[in-house]
Amino acid sequence: MSQSPLDLGTVLARVADTLESRRGADPSTSYVAKLLAKAPDSILKKIGEEATETVMAAKDGETDKIVSETADLWFHCLVMLTHYGLRPEQVLEELARREGLSGLTEKAARGPDGARAQPAQGV
């Protein structure tokens, strides 16, 4: 993978800061405030819609559309994180934790409900 001049963490943090600044704004003048005012349903509906559009773009192999729809999907996921008081840095930390792990090993470490198993306590 080639190095990008963009620092993903910085870009996501700036977007998250902007989204947080929209909390409590007038829903008639801010799309994000409108989503947050009707959360979580409005946000989750948009994530489902954008995920579907991303899948359709990928199925069609339209690279420009894949990038555009993925950006829309990520944006709405960031709005969801904002609603729940979470930050993209937390997601990046989780991805970093998983880096280098076998997907099969990581999945096996989850409990039956899909949650990560808690590490054993030391004695």
Side-chain angles (χ1 to χ4, degrees):
M1 181 166 56
S2 65
Q3 288 286 32
S4 170
L6 293 177
D7 175 1
L8 181 61
T10 302
V11 171
L12 293 174
R14 283 196 318 258
V15 173
D17 291 344
T18 299
L19 295 175
E20 186 61 41
S21 76
R22 300 300 193 268
R23 189 186 294 276
D26 182 354
S28 70
T29 61
S30 169
Y31 174 69
V32 171
K34 182 177 180 180
L35 288 174
L36 291 171
K38 296 180 179 181
D41 291 347
S42 61
I43 300 167
L44 301 177
K45 182 178 175 183
K46 283 302 293 183
I47 289 173
E49 176 186 315
E50 297 303 342
T52 300
E53 291 174 1
T54 301
V55 168
M56 290 169 37
K59 186 85 170 146
D60 293 341
E62 299 177 36
T63 55
D64 288 345
K65 232 178 155 178
I66 292 168
V67 170
S68 175
E69 295 300 342
T70 301
D72 290 346
L73 177 58
W74 287 13
F75 174 82
H76 288 91
C77 287
L78 289 169
V79 175
M80 177 191 64
L81 291 174
T82 300
H83 169 69
Y84 287 106
L86 300 169
R87 295 284 304 177
E89 294 88 348
Q90 292 171 271
V91 177
L92 293 173
E93 288 169 8
E94 178 62 13
L95 288 171
R97 185 193 68 77
R98 295 181 188 186
E99 189 175 15
L101 290 178
S102 159
L104 296 175
T105 302
E106 196 278 334
K107 199 166 193 169
R110 296 182 188 181
D113 64 355
R116 281 186 293 181
Q118 295 298 317
Q121 295 292 328
V123 286

mmCIF file of all heavy atoms in Angstrom, residues 31-75:
data_model
loop_
_atom_site.group_PDB
_atom_site.id
_atom_site.type_symbol
_atom_site.label_atom_id
_atom_site.label_comp_id
_atom_site.label_asym_id
_atom_site.label_seq_id
_atom_site.Cartn_x
_atom_site.Cartn_y
_atom_site.Cartn_z
ATOM 1 N N TYR A 31 -27.402 19.573 8.564
ATOM 2 C CA TYR A 31 -27.748 18.181 8.270
ATOM 3 C C TYR A 31 -27.372 17.277 9.438
ATOM 4 O O TYR A 31 -28.153 16.419 9.849
ATOM 5 C CB TYR A 31 -27.029 17.746 6.986
ATOM 6 C CG TYR A 31 -27.186 16.288 6.664
ATOM 7 C CD1 TYR A 31 -28.419 15.769 6.279
ATOM 8 C CD2 TYR A 31 -26.103 15.417 6.741
ATOM 9 C CE1 TYR A 31 -28.570 14.423 5.978
ATOM 10 C CE2 TYR A 31 -26.241 14.071 6.444
ATOM 11 C CZ TYR A 31 -27.481 13.583 6.059
ATOM 12 O OH TYR A 31 -27.618 12.255 5.771
ATOM 13 N N VAL A 32 -26.194 17.474 10.000
ATOM 14 C CA VAL A 32 -25.730 16.644 11.113
ATOM 15 C C VAL A 32 -26.625 16.859 12.336
ATOM 16 O O VAL A 32 -27.015 15.895 13.003
ATOM 17 C CB VAL A 32 -24.252 16.919 11.438
ATOM 18 C CG1 VAL A 32 -23.821 16.225 12.713
ATOM 19 C CG2 VAL A 32 -23.367 16.489 10.271
ATOM 20 N N ALA A 33 -26.971 18.109 12.633
ATOM 21 C CA ALA A 33 -27.862 18.390 13.762
ATOM 22 C C ALA A 33 -29.211 17.718 13.549
ATOM 23 O O ALA A 33 -29.807 17.197 14.498
ATOM 24 C CB ALA A 33 -28.035 19.895 13.939
ATOM 25 N N LYS A 34 -29.686 17.686 12.320
ATOM 26 C CA LYS A 34 -30.955 17.029 11.999
ATOM 27 C C LYS A 34 -30.857 15.532 12.278
ATOM 28 O O LYS A 34 -31.760 14.944 12.875
ATOM 29 C CB LYS A 34 -31.322 17.287 10.534
ATOM 30 C CG LYS A 34 -32.630 16.700 10.101
ATOM 31 C CD LYS A 34 -32.915 17.071 8.660
ATOM 32 C CE LYS A 34 -34.223 16.486 8.188
ATOM 33 N NZ LYS A 34 -34.519 16.837 6.800
ATOM 34 N N LEU A 35 -29.762 14.905 11.851
ATOM 35 C CA LEU A 35 -29.572 13.479 12.122
ATOM 36 C C LEU A 35 -29.486 13.217 13.623
ATOM 37 O O LEU A 35 -30.107 12.285 14.139
ATOM 38 C CB LEU A 35 -28.307 12.958 11.434
ATOM 39 C CG LEU A 35 -28.345 12.802 9.920
ATOM 40 C CD1 LEU A 35 -26.967 12.431 9.401
ATOM 41 C CD2 LEU A 35 -29.372 11.761 9.503
ATOM 42 N N LEU A 36 -28.701 14.034 14.321
ATOM 43 C CA LEU A 36 -28.518 13.840 15.763
ATOM 44 C C LEU A 36 -29.812 14.063 16.534
ATOM 45 O O LEU A 36 -30.068 13.395 17.538
ATOM 46 C CB LEU A 36 -27.409 14.754 16.288
ATOM 47 C CG LEU A 36 -25.987 14.405 15.825
ATOM 48 C CD1 LEU A 36 -25.016 15.514 16.228
ATOM 49 C CD2 LEU A 36 -25.536 13.057 16.374
ATOM 50 N N ALA A 37 -30.647 14.991 16.070
ATOM 51 C CA ALA A 37 -31.912 15.283 16.748
ATOM 52 C C ALA A 37 -32.882 14.107 16.663
ATOM 53 O O ALA A 37 -33.727 13.940 17.532
ATOM 54 C CB ALA A 37 -32.557 16.534 16.159
ATOM 55 N N LYS A 38 -32.734 13.292 15.624
ATOM 56 C CA LYS A 38 -33.634 12.150 15.430
ATOM 57 C C LYS A 38 -32.907 10.823 15.636
ATOM 58 O O LYS A 38 -33.358 9.780 15.150
ATOM 59 C CB LYS A 38 -34.244 12.214 14.040
ATOM 60 C CG LYS A 38 -35.126 13.427 13.825
ATOM 61 C CD LYS A 38 -35.705 13.444 12.438
ATOM 62 C CE LYS A 38 -36.597 14.652 12.238
ATOM 63 N NZ LYS A 38 -37.182 14.683 10.900
ATOM 64 N N ALA A 39 -31.784 10.881 16.331
ATOM 65 C CA ALA A 39 -30.959 9.692 16.549
ATOM 66 C C ALA A 39 -31.604 8.772 17.571
ATOM 67 O O ALA A 39 -32.392 9.231 18.400
ATOM 68 C CB ALA A 39 -29.575 10.123 17.021
ATOM 69 N N PRO A 40 -31.280 7.510 17.535
ATOM 70 C CA PRO A 40 -30.326 6.886 16.642
ATOM 71 C C PRO A 40 -30.928 6.437 15.317
ATOM 72 O O PRO A 40 -30.199 6.177 14.363
ATOM 73 C CB PRO A 40 -29.822 5.675 17.438
ATOM 74 C CG PRO A 40 -31.003 5.251 18.234
ATOM 75 C CD PRO A 40 -31.724 6.545 18.583
ATOM 76 N N ASP A 41 -32.269 6.357 15.232
ATOM 77 C CA ASP A 41 -32.891 5.780 14.035
ATOM 78 C C ASP A 41 -32.477 6.467 12.738
ATOM 79 O O ASP A 41 -32.209 5.796 11.738
ATOM 80 C CB ASP A 41 -34.413 5.781 14.167
ATOM 81 C CG ASP A 41 -34.909 4.802 15.226
ATOM 82 O OD1 ASP A 41 -34.105 3.963 15.681
ATOM 83 O OD2 ASP A 41 -36.086 4.898 15.613
ATOM 84 N N SER A 42 -32.438 7.804 12.737
ATOM 85 C CA SER A 42 -32.099 8.525 11.506
ATOM 86 C C SER A 42 -30.681 8.188 11.045
ATOM 87 O O SER A 42 -30.437 8.016 9.849
ATOM 88 C CB SER A 42 -32.237 10.031 11.716
ATOM 89 O OG SER A 42 -31.338 10.466 12.733
ATOM 90 N N ILE A 43 -29.778 8.070 11.989
ATOM 91 C CA ILE A 43 -28.380 7.773 11.655
ATOM 92 C C ILE A 43 -28.248 6.333 11.173
ATOM 93 O O ILE A 43 -27.593 6.066 10.156
ATOM 94 C CB ILE A 43 -27.465 8.014 12.871
ATOM 95 C CG1 ILE A 43 -27.547 9.471 13.319
ATOM 96 C CG2 ILE A 43 -26.026 7.619 12.552
ATOM 97 C CD1 ILE A 43 -26.937 9.726 14.689
ATOM 98 N N LEU A 44 -28.868 5.419 11.878
ATOM 99 C CA LEU A 44 -28.761 4.007 11.516
ATOM 100 C C LEU A 44 -29.387 3.737 10.153
ATOM 101 O O LEU A 44 -28.867 2.941 9.367
ATOM 102 C CB LEU A 44 -29.392 3.139 12.598
ATOM 103 C CG LEU A 44 -28.768 3.287 13.985
ATOM 104 C CD1 LEU A 44 -29.510 2.434 15.002
ATOM 105 C CD2 LEU A 44 -27.285 2.966 13.963
ATOM 106 N N LYS A 45 -30.478 4.418 9.849
ATOM 107 C CA LYS A 45 -31.106 4.292 8.531
ATOM 108 C C LYS A 45 -30.142 4.755 7.438
ATOM 109 O O LYS A 45 -30.003 4.110 6.399
ATOM 110 C CB LYS A 45 -32.400 5.105 8.491
ATOM 111 C CG LYS A 45 -33.149 5.017 7.188
ATOM 112 C CD LYS A 45 -34.441 5.820 7.249
ATOM 113 C CE LYS A 45 -35.119 5.809 5.902
ATOM 114 N NZ LYS A 45 -36.327 6.634 5.890
ATOM 115 N N LYS A 46 -29.470 5.887 7.685
ATOM 116 C CA LYS A 46 -28.513 6.396 6.699
ATOM 117 C C LYS A 46 -27.331 5.447 6.536
ATOM 118 O O LYS A 46 -26.847 5.233 5.422
ATOM 119 C CB LYS A 46 -28.013 7.793 7.090
ATOM 120 C CG LYS A 46 -28.992 8.905 6.807
ATOM 121 C CD LYS A 46 -29.413 8.992 5.345
ATOM 122 C CE LYS A 46 -28.297 9.390 4.411
ATOM 123 N NZ LYS A 46 -28.720 9.547 3.009
ATOM 124 N N ILE A 47 -26.856 4.859 7.623
ATOM 125 C CA ILE A 47 -25.745 3.911 7.518
ATOM 126 C C ILE A 47 -26.168 2.713 6.663
ATOM 127 O O ILE A 47 -25.413 2.272 5.789
ATOM 128 C CB ILE A 47 -25.251 3.459 8.911
ATOM 129 C CG1 ILE A 47 -24.533 4.622 9.601
ATOM 130 C CG2 ILE A 47 -24.338 2.236 8.809
ATOM 131 C CD1 ILE A 47 -24.149 4.349 11.039
ATOM 132 N N GLY A 48 -27.369 2.208 6.893
ATOM 133 C CA GLY A 48 -27.861 1.094 6.077
ATOM 134 C C GLY A 48 -27.963 1.459 4.609
ATOM 135 O O GLY A 48 -27.557 0.689 3.728
ATOM 136 N N GLU A 49 -28.474 2.655 4.351
ATOM 137 C CA GLU A 49 -28.609 3.135 2.975
ATOM 138 C C GLU A 49 -27.236 3.271 2.309
ATOM 139 O O GLU A 49 -27.024 2.806 1.182
ATOM 140 C CB GLU A 49 -29.324 4.486 2.992
ATOM 141 C CG GLU A 49 -29.452 5.164 1.657
ATOM 142 C CD GLU A 49 -30.046 6.565 1.807
ATOM 143 O OE1 GLU A 49 -31.035 6.730 2.559
ATOM 144 O OE2 GLU A 49 -29.508 7.491 1.179
ATOM 145 N N GLU A 50 -26.303 3.885 3.013
ATOM 146 C CA GLU A 50 -24.966 4.100 2.437
ATOM 147 C C GLU A 50 -24.202 2.779 2.275
ATOM 148 O O GLU A 50 -23.445 2.611 1.315
ATOM 149 C CB GLU A 50 -24.167 5.088 3.282
ATOM 150 C CG GLU A 50 -24.758 6.481 3.362
ATOM 151 C CD GLU A 50 -24.983 7.170 2.025
ATOM 152 O OE1 GLU A 50 -24.391 6.753 1.003
ATOM 153 O OE2 GLU A 50 -25.763 8.137 1.987
ATOM 154 N N ALA A 51 -24.412 1.842 3.202
ATOM 155 C CA ALA A 51 -23.768 0.535 3.072
ATOM 156 C C ALA A 51 -24.274 -0.178 1.818
ATOM 157 O O ALA A 51 -23.484 -0.761 1.059
ATOM 158 C CB ALA A 51 -24.020 -0.316 4.317
ATOM 159 N N THR A 52 -25.572 -0.099 1.592
ATOM 160 C CA THR A 52 -26.157 -0.709 0.400
ATOM 161 C C THR A 52 -25.606 -0.067 -0.866
ATOM 162 O O THR A 52 -25.243 -0.762 -1.833
ATOM 163 C CB THR A 52 -27.695 -0.601 0.444
ATOM 164 O OG1 THR A 52 -28.157 -1.278 1.612
ATOM 165 C CG2 THR A 52 -28.332 -1.189 -0.796
ATOM 166 N N GLU A 53 -25.527 1.252 -0.877
ATOM 167 C CA GLU A 53 -24.999 1.957 -2.052
ATOM 168 C C GLU A 53 -23.528 1.622 -2.274
ATOM 169 O O GLU A 53 -23.083 1.514 -3.421
ATOM 170 C CB GLU A 53 -25.214 3.460 -1.901
ATOM 171 C CG GLU A 53 -26.680 3.842 -1.987
ATOM 172 C CD GLU A 53 -26.951 5.311 -1.697
ATOM 173 O OE1 GLU A 53 -26.002 6.082 -1.447
ATOM 174 O OE2 GLU A 53 -28.137 5.688 -1.708
ATOM 175 N N THR A 54 -22.776 1.425 -1.198
ATOM 176 C CA THR A 54 -21.366 1.046 -1.320
ATOM 177 C C THR A 54 -21.255 -0.343 -1.940
ATOM 178 O O THR A 54 -20.436 -0.571 -2.846
ATOM 179 C CB THR A 54 -20.669 1.086 0.056
ATOM 180 O OG1 THR A 54 -20.788 2.411 0.588
ATOM 181 C CG2 THR A 54 -19.203 0.709 -0.038
ATOM 182 N N VAL A 55 -22.070 -1.267 -1.471
ATOM 183 C CA VAL A 55 -22.064 -2.626 -2.013
ATOM 184 C C VAL A 55 -22.435 -2.601 -3.497
ATOM 185 O O VAL A 55 -21.795 -3.275 -4.324
ATOM 186 C CB VAL A 55 -23.029 -3.536 -1.214
ATOM 187 C CG1 VAL A 55 -23.257 -4.861 -1.925
ATOM 188 C CG2 VAL A 55 -22.489 -3.763 0.192
ATOM 189 N N MET A 56 -23.443 -1.828 -3.862
ATOM 190 C CA MET A 56 -23.863 -1.759 -5.262
ATOM 191 C C MET A 56 -22.755 -1.176 -6.141
ATOM 192 O O MET A 56 -22.499 -1.678 -7.239
ATOM 193 C CB MET A 56 -25.151 -0.946 -5.384
ATOM 194 C CG MET A 56 -26.342 -1.679 -4.782
ATOM 195 S SD MET A 56 -27.877 -0.719 -4.587
ATOM 196 C CE MET A 56 -27.949 0.313 -6.001
ATOM 197 N N ALA A 57 -22.080 -0.138 -5.654
ATOM 198 C CA ALA A 57 -20.979 0.457 -6.419
ATOM 199 C C ALA A 57 -19.851 -0.555 -6.599
ATOM 200 O O ALA A 57 -19.262 -0.667 -7.685
ATOM 201 C CB ALA A 57 -20.468 1.714 -5.721
ATOM 202 N N ALA A 58 -19.552 -1.300 -5.534
ATOM 203 C CA ALA A 58 -18.485 -2.310 -5.619
ATOM 204 C C ALA A 58 -18.887 -3.431 -6.571
ATOM 205 O O ALA A 58 -18.068 -3.909 -7.365
ATOM 206 C CB ALA A 58 -18.178 -2.866 -4.233
ATOM 207 N N LYS A 59 -20.130 -3.852 -6.508
ATOM 208 C CA LYS A 59 -20.623 -4.905 -7.391
ATOM 209 C C LYS A 59 -20.495 -4.480 -8.846
ATOM 210 O O LYS A 59 -20.152 -5.293 -9.706
ATOM 211 C CB LYS A 59 -22.082 -5.207 -7.041
ATOM 212 C CG LYS A 59 -22.670 -6.356 -7.757
ATOM 213 C CD LYS A 59 -22.348 -7.638 -7.052
ATOM 214 C CE LYS A 59 -23.166 -8.759 -7.657
ATOM 215 N NZ LYS A 59 -22.453 -9.999 -7.663
ATOM 216 N N ASP A 60 -20.729 -3.193 -9.120
ATOM 217 C CA ASP A 60 -20.614 -2.657 -10.483
ATOM 218 C C ASP A 60 -19.170 -2.373 -10.873
ATOM 219 O O ASP A 60 -18.893 -2.088 -12.036
ATOM 220 C CB ASP A 60 -21.442 -1.378 -10.631
ATOM 221 C CG ASP A 60 -22.941 -1.636 -10.526
ATOM 222 O OD1 ASP A 60 -23.373 -2.795 -10.694
ATOM 223 O OD2 ASP A 60 -23.686 -0.667 -10.260
ATOM 224 N N GLY A 61 -18.254 -2.394 -9.890
ATOM 225 C CA GLY A 61 -16.840 -2.148 -10.175
ATOM 226 C C GLY A 61 -16.533 -0.707 -10.541
ATOM 227 O O GLY A 61 -15.509 -0.431 -11.163
ATOM 228 N N GLU A 62 -17.393 0.216 -10.138
ATOM 229 C CA GLU A 62 -17.199 1.630 -10.459
ATOM 230 C C GLU A 62 -16.318 2.264 -9.383
ATOM 231 O O GLU A 62 -16.803 2.691 -8.340
ATOM 232 C CB GLU A 62 -18.543 2.342 -10.542
ATOM 233 C CG GLU A 62 -19.463 1.787 -11.612
ATOM 234 C CD GLU A 62 -20.813 2.471 -11.617
ATOM 235 O OE1 GLU A 62 -20.865 3.692 -11.362
ATOM 236 O OE2 GLU A 62 -21.807 1.785 -11.884
ATOM 237 N N THR A 63 -15.009 2.358 -9.671
ATOM 238 C CA THR A 63 -14.058 2.762 -8.637
ATOM 239 C C THR A 63 -14.338 4.152 -8.062
ATOM 240 O O THR A 63 -14.250 4.342 -6.846
ATOM 241 C CB THR A 63 -12.610 2.677 -9.139
ATOM 242 O OG1 THR A 63 -12.476 3.455 -10.335
ATOM 243 C CG2 THR A 63 -12.226 1.235 -9.445
ATOM 244 N N ASP A 64 -14.668 5.119 -8.900
ATOM 245 C CA ASP A 64 -14.970 6.462 -8.385
ATOM 246 C C ASP A 64 -16.178 6.428 -7.458
ATOM 247 O O ASP A 64 -16.199 7.085 -6.413
ATOM 248 C CB ASP A 64 -15.237 7.456 -9.525
ATOM 249 C CG ASP A 64 -13.970 7.816 -10.285
ATOM 250 O OD1 ASP A 64 -12.867 7.536 -9.784
ATOM 251 O OD2 ASP A 64 -14.099 8.389 -11.383
ATOM 252 N N LYS A 65 -17.171 5.652 -7.837
ATOM 253 C CA LYS A 65 -18.376 5.540 -7.020
ATOM 254 C C LYS A 65 -18.100 4.774 -5.732
ATOM 255 O O LYS A 65 -18.674 5.083 -4.687
ATOM 256 C CB LYS A 65 -19.491 4.861 -7.822
ATOM 257 C CG LYS A 65 -20.769 5.637 -7.816
ATOM 258 C CD LYS A 65 -21.829 4.975 -8.647
ATOM 259 C CE LYS A 65 -23.148 5.453 -8.094
ATOM 260 N NZ LYS A 65 -24.286 4.960 -8.800
ATOM 261 N N ILE A 66 -17.233 3.767 -5.806
ATOM 262 C CA ILE A 66 -16.859 3.014 -4.602
ATOM 263 C C ILE A 66 -16.244 3.973 -3.582
ATOM 264 O O ILE A 66 -16.606 3.960 -2.398
ATOM 265 C CB ILE A 66 -15.880 1.869 -4.929
ATOM 266 C CG1 ILE A 66 -16.570 0.794 -5.754
ATOM 267 C CG2 ILE A 66 -15.302 1.272 -3.640
ATOM 268 C CD1 ILE A 66 -15.605 -0.236 -6.358
ATOM 269 N N VAL A 67 -15.332 4.819 -4.028
ATOM 270 C CA VAL A 67 -14.685 5.784 -3.131
ATOM 271 C C VAL A 67 -15.710 6.759 -2.571
ATOM 272 O O VAL A 67 -15.761 7.018 -1.360
ATOM 273 C CB VAL A 67 -13.539 6.529 -3.854
ATOM 274 C CG1 VAL A 67 -13.023 7.697 -3.034
ATOM 275 C CG2 VAL A 67 -12.414 5.559 -4.184
ATOM 276 N N SER A 68 -16.564 7.294 -3.418
ATOM 277 C CA SER A 68 -17.561 8.268 -2.995
ATOM 278 C C SER A 68 -18.550 7.664 -1.995
ATOM 279 O O SER A 68 -18.845 8.268 -0.957
ATOM 280 C CB SER A 68 -18.305 8.804 -4.221
ATOM 281 O OG SER A 68 -19.341 9.666 -3.841
ATOM 282 N N GLU A 69 -19.046 6.486 -2.298
ATOM 283 C CA GLU A 69 -20.016 5.844 -1.406
ATOM 284 C C GLU A 69 -19.370 5.410 -0.090
ATOM 285 O O GLU A 69 -20.002 5.481 0.966
ATOM 286 C CB GLU A 69 -20.695 4.658 -2.093
ATOM 287 C CG GLU A 69 -21.568 5.031 -3.283
ATOM 288 C CD GLU A 69 -22.716 5.973 -2.949
ATOM 289 O OE1 GLU A 69 -23.094 6.112 -1.760
ATOM 290 O OE2 GLU A 69 -23.260 6.581 -3.889
ATOM 291 N N THR A 70 -18.109 4.980 -0.148
ATOM 292 C CA THR A 70 -17.415 4.624 1.089
ATOM 293 C C THR A 70 -17.227 5.856 1.960
ATOM 294 O O THR A 70 -17.392 5.790 3.189
ATOM 295 C CB THR A 70 -16.063 3.949 0.791
ATOM 296 O OG1 THR A 70 -16.297 2.759 0.016
ATOM 297 C CG2 THR A 70 -15.322 3.576 2.063
ATOM 298 N N ALA A 71 -16.918 6.991 1.350
ATOM 299 C CA ALA A 71 -16.798 8.241 2.111
ATOM 300 C C ALA A 71 -18.134 8.579 2.786
ATOM 301 O O ALA A 71 -18.163 8.973 3.957
ATOM 302 C CB ALA A 71 -16.340 9.382 1.210
ATOM 303 N N ASP A 72 -19.241 8.406 2.060
ATOM 304 C CA ASP A 72 -20.561 8.652 2.652
ATOM 305 C C ASP A 72 -20.813 7.706 3.824
ATOM 306 O O ASP A 72 -21.315 8.125 4.871
ATOM 307 C CB ASP A 72 -21.670 8.463 1.607
ATOM 308 C CG ASP A 72 -21.700 9.542 0.545
ATOM 309 O OD1 ASP A 72 -21.048 10.595 0.729
ATOM 310 O OD2 ASP A 72 -22.377 9.335 -0.484
ATOM 311 N N LEU A 73 -20.461 6.440 3.647
ATOM 312 C CA LEU A 73 -20.655 5.445 4.707
ATOM 313 C C LEU A 73 -19.820 5.792 5.936
ATOM 314 O O LEU A 73 -20.328 5.788 7.068
ATOM 315 C CB LEU A 73 -20.299 4.051 4.185
ATOM 316 C CG LEU A 73 -20.381 2.900 5.185
ATOM 317 C CD1 LEU A 73 -21.777 2.775 5.775
ATOM 318 C CD2 LEU A 73 -19.939 1.604 4.508
ATOM 319 N N TRP A 74 -18.553 6.100 5.730
ATOM 320 C CA TRP A 74 -17.678 6.464 6.851
ATOM 321 C C TRP A 74 -18.206 7.709 7.568
ATOM 322 O O TRP A 74 -18.186 7.772 8.790
ATOM 323 C CB TRP A 74 -16.255 6.708 6.372
ATOM 324 C CG TRP A 74 -15.502 5.475 5.988
ATOM 325 C CD1 TRP A 74 -15.988 4.218 5.787
ATOM 326 C CD2 TRP A 74 -14.101 5.401 5.748
ATOM 327 N NE1 TRP A 74 -14.965 3.383 5.434
ATOM 328 C CE2 TRP A 74 -13.801 4.069 5.395
ATOM 329 C CE3 TRP A 74 -13.079 6.337 5.766
ATOM 330 C CZ2 TRP A 74 -12.508 3.653 5.095
ATOM 331 C CZ3 TRP A 74 -11.791 5.918 5.468
ATOM 332 C CH2 TRP A 74 -11.516 4.581 5.137
ATOM 333 N N PHE A 75 -18.649 8.699 6.792
ATOM 334 C CA PHE A 75 -19.182 9.927 7.384
ATOM 335 C C PHE A 75 -20.341 9.607 8.325
ATOM 336 O O PHE A 75 -20.381 10.078 9.458
ATOM 337 C CB PHE A 75 -19.632 10.900 6.286
ATOM 338 C CG PHE A 75 -20.309 12.122 6.826
ATOM 339 C CD1 PHE A 75 -19.561 13.190 7.285
ATOM 340 C CD2 PHE A 75 -21.697 12.199 6.894
ATOM 341 C CE1 PHE A 75 -20.178 14.331 7.809
ATOM 342 C CE2 PHE A 75 -22.322 13.326 7.414
ATOM 343 C CZ PHE A 75 -21.554 14.386 7.871
#
